[in-house]
Amino acid sequence: MDNYMSWIKIGFFLIVLLLLAAACTTSPKLENTDGKKFRMIMQVWGNPAEVKVYQRALDLFEKENPNIEVKLVPVPGDQYEQKLLTQLQGSRGPDVFYSYEPTIARLIGAKQVQPLGEFLKSDASNVKAEDFPEGLWGPAKRDGEIYGVTPDSNPMVMYYNKKVFKDAGMKTPQEYYDEGKWNWDAFEEVTSKLKSAGKQGYIAENGWAHWYSWVWSNGGRIFDEQGKYVLDHNEKGKEAFRFMYDMVNKGNAVYLGSLPKGQGADAMFMSNQVGMLAAGRWLEPLFSPNKSLDFDYIYWPSNTGKNEPVAIPVAYVAVNKNSPHLQEAMKLAAFYVSVKGQVARLVEGGNAMGTLAAADESIMKTATIEHSSYLTEGRDKGHAHGSALAYDAQIPGLNSDITKTIDLMFLGKQDAAATIEKLNQIISKAVK
């Protein structure tokens, strides 16, 4: 009887062990029950066409890493930041995610993103930190540590409508450039002539990438190379604000924010109503299929005798510090921004530039716009939002306050002098 009871106890003990083992294998580790695959989530923004572009890199990553599965989760842009912040604060965010420039600055401060510096130095990474242009790091590099990497870039250039210039009997911006005369005087001259020809000369927009590009093209500064606010005594910077105000006030440019609802810059450009507008490469996929539209790029007009830095809108790919699979998540992030990842996403034609010189030949061989090289030059010379020269992205809420103030200037509700004075007050208070 004692032996019988002993066997029952042993059997009961073995059953308990089996149940515990089963519980372990079904615990939420984001692994298949066979333990052979890691499952991760990558969260992005974008329309359905952009999501398909992102997926091409993930398909290649999974092919090269059959033990990892990645689910791509798109979130609408207007909801993206708030949802991401809520997820990460609750320790249930995606493993890898896209981040806006001001957002990653907040996440670094909250210690919610994984440092990537050491991993990028390792053999497990498909890319090295030194492969990227320095101006692209922006707020993703802090105190020598790296917290996010740019998958692509959109250096600002000016698009010009060749037909509009030809119909007005005018030299193109490229002809001015070739003569060494593509400066603010030339810009004012061509916009005046276009206006006289019954067209809009230029669509002025209010956004950090626009006003920083104008300030830098005059050799001016809002913030200096150390991120210190200097507009209050930087005459070249102040002159840029006066120029932006005058262009709209004189009618050489029309402010996008003052146009009737539904009337966009891209539609005006395609219908030959406007000669020039500024953007990154994101408009090229919209314009290129239009066979009746003849356009080209030109570098930002400069008053210094050389091509100055331009603003570079970027996104960052970052890793959730609380991901249960940090090594695999960092491997995915590095692959996605590597030459392989960039070529997989952009070689079939894209809405952005790559960020690696080694990927340029493959990506740009399909470029159909004559002077696409200005995109490459802008990327290599320019600065992302949150870099020292565009430091406002490092301070929560500051960019929004600046944008609202400049909006009043473009709407004609205050002149350049009043705008500069308000900016002095807003920024000086924020950077204390």
Side-chain angles (χ1 to χ4, degrees), residues 235-352:
E235 293 307 316
K236 293 292 185 180
K238 293 179 182 180
E239 186 179 13
F241 279 92
R242 291 193 290 269
F243 182 77
M244 286 187 278
Y245 171 76
D246 286 343
M247 286 294 94
V248 175
N249 190 48
K250 293 177 181 177
N252 290 56
V254 60
Y255 177 40
L256 182 63
S258 67
L259 293 175
K261 188 175 182 179
Q263 187 173 356
D266 50 359
M268 292 178 67
F269 191 81
M270 289 190 290
S271 59
N272 302 317
Q273 298 177 54
V274 63
M276 293 183 292
L277 54 77
R281 198 187 182 193
W282 59 79
L283 289 178
E284 185 179 321
L286 177 64
F287 291 165
S288 292
N290 189 336
K291 300 303 180 185
S292 64
L293 179 63
D294 190 12
F295 72 96
D296 200 355
Y297 297 128
I298 190 66
Y299 206 88
W300 212 274
S302 171
N303 277 350
T304 67
K306 61 180 181 179
N307 288 349
E308 292 290 343
V310 294
I312 310 176
V314 298
Y316 293 100
V317 171
V319 173
N320 183 351
K321 192 172 184 179
N322 293 315
S323 168
H325 304 300
L326 273 178
Q327 289 300 310
E328 289 74 21
M330 289 191 287
K331 187 172 185 178
L332 169 60
F335 181 91
Y336 190 84
V337 303
S338 70
V339 171
K340 284 185 177 181
Q342 292 190 24
V343 170
R345 284 182 287 110
L346 302 173
V347 75
E348 294 181 23
N351 60 353

Side-chain angles (χ1 to χ4, degrees), residues 54-195:
Y54 304 154
Q55 187 64 51
R56 293 201 292 256
L58 299 187
D59 290 343
L60 181 58
F61 175 77
E62 289 181 336
K63 183 178 180 180
E64 295 194 7
N65 299 273
N67 64 319
I68 302 176
E69 290 181 359
V70 184
K71 181 180 180 181
L72 189 63
V73 177
V75 175
D78 58 349
Q79 303 170 21
Y80 190 87
E81 181 179 44
Q82 187 55 52
K83 181 172 182 177
L84 178 65
L85 293 174
T86 301
Q87 289 174 319
L88 295 176
Q89 287 168 358
S91 299
R92 57 182 178 85
D95 301 275
V96 181
F97 54 88
Y98 267 37
S99 173
Y100 297 110
E101 301 100 317
T103 308
I104 200 165
R106 292 179 63 178
L107 295 176
I108 294 170
K111 301 185 185 304
Q112 292 173 318
V113 285
Q114 173 68 16
L116 300 175
E118 287 303 315
F119 182 82
L120 293 174
K121 294 176 183 177
S122 72
D123 293 338
S125 175
N126 287 82
V127 71
K128 304 302 178 188
E130 55 268 26
D131 297 337
F132 296 87
E134 189 61 32
L136 297 182
W137 291 112
K141 181 183 280 188
R142 182 179 295 184
D143 299 327
E145 183 56 88
I146 294 169
Y147 296 91
V149 191
T150 51
D152 44 45
S153 63
N154 259 306
M156 294 295 284
V157 290
M158 288 193 179
Y159 291 71
Y160 68 93
N161 187 315
K162 291 183 178 181
K163 179 177 174 16
V164 170
F165 276 82
K166 182 179 180 181
D167 290 349
M170 297 167 51
K171 290 192 301 184
T172 66
Q174 184 61 47
E175 289 177 283
Y176 282 95
Y177 185 93
D178 292 339
E179 294 170 357
K181 297 178 181 178
W182 183 233
N183 52 30
W184 287 8
D185 288 340
F187 183 85
E188 185 171 4
E189 180 179 314
V190 299
T191 51
S192 295
K193 288 182 178 180
L194 289 169
K195 180 184 175 185

